Amino acid sequence: MTLTSLPTPVSALSLRTLAKGEMLFRQGDKSFAVFAVRRGQVRMVRHLAGGGAVPLFVAHDGDTFSEAALFSPVYHCDAVADVETEIEVHPKDALSQALADSPEAAQAFMAHLARQVIGLRSRLEIRNIRSAQERVLQFLQLEAGDETRSVIFARPLKDIAGDIGLSHEAFYRTLAKLETSGKIARTGRTITLLHQA
């Protein structure tokens, strides 16, 4: 049984374990599959013409990545395991055929991609906020449930800091200030918004 809802036939699906620091693919490599993280973490990085590199996305448990491989002959970034990671390998030919054969599967896949776009736009919105406190509050409001106004993080807070474009030191300082000012309460990895910002 697959972790994700990708409709790849089980007979075509395979699993692969990556060691920490192991490269799954490099920018410019021929594309052959779409991937999903079963456990671990894979970082996507794009290299620039001037020699620099830009982090694009970090895939965690349950996340899929490299969906563009279905429509591109090559990968447009590097993918490297940040920790020992187990991934599902969904060969692009098998996945493409499954999507073509099932309108329901194709619609579910489109909904999955739409959710990714919404998440990406939210991350871009948050990263464009200059004030660290406003950035963290906006992030918490987007993540919190309407009733509890709480966020329970399954990942370390330093990983969350990177997601919103802050150093972990700046993120921790900002959380401490928000807690001191009475805007949030923290218990372990649970953060609760105490009132509307």
Side-chain angles (χ1 to χ4, degrees):
M1 178 164 179
T2 64
L3 174 75
T4 62
S5 59
L6 297 178
T8 307
V10 174
S11 59
L13 180 68
S14 63
L15 298 178
R16 181 170 169 189
T17 300
L18 302 173
K20 179 180 179 180
E22 185 176 349
M23 193 78 65
L24 177 60
F25 56 77
R26 294 185 183 276
Q27 186 170 324
D29 284 354
K30 182 178 178 181
S31 63
F32 62 94
V34 174
F35 306 94
V37 177
R38 284 206 169 193
R39 61 170 179 81
Q41 182 171 298
V42 177
R43 182 175 305 273
M44 268 58 71
V45 178
R46 179 169 295 156
H47 297 282
L48 305 176
V54 176
L56 298 177
F57 178 63
V58 179
H60 301 96
D61 295 7
D63 288 337
T64 61
F65 61 97
S66 75
E67 294 89 347
L70 288 175
F71 307 101
S72 173
V74 298
Y75 292 110
H76 297 104
C77 62
D78 289 355
V80 61
D82 284 341
V83 297
E84 182 179 88
T85 301
E86 184 181 25
I87 60 167
E88 297 175 0
V89 181
H90 297 260
K92 63 189 272 186
D93 291 342
L95 178 55
S96 292
Q97 189 61 54
L99 292 169
D101 290 344
S102 170
E104 295 82 11
Q107 188 167 8
F109 186 65
M110 287 188 290
H112 167 73
L113 295 177
R115 288 190 295 273
Q116 285 191 336
V117 170
I118 291 167
L120 174 60
R121 288 177 177 166
S122 294
R123 288 194 299 275
L124 289 173
E125 172 191 340
I126 289 166
R127 284 174 173 257
N128 284 330
I129 298 172
R130 295 187 61 150
S131 161
Q133 285 195 37
E134 289 179 18
R135 185 182 300 190
V136 171
L137 283 172
Q138 180 65 16
F139 169 72
L140 293 173
Q141 287 176 358
L142 289 171
E143 294 291 317
D146 291 335
E147 293 183 13
T148 63
R149 294 188 48 77
S150 293
V151 183
I152 302 173
F153 294 109
R155 299 183 287 128
L157 291 180
K158 68 177 185 177
D159 290 350
I160 306 301
D163 289 349
I164 63 172
L166 293 174
S167 68
H168 64 275
E169 296 91 352
F171 187 46
Y172 295 148
R173 281 196 306 271
T174 302
L175 289 174
K177 288 178 184 176
L178 291 171
E179 190 171 26
T180 300
S181 67
K183 293 183 178 177
I184 66 169
R186 289 192 292 170
T187 306
R189 290 186 181 172
T190 301
I191 298 177
T192 302
L193 290 159
L194 297 180
H195 57 76
Q196 294 285 346

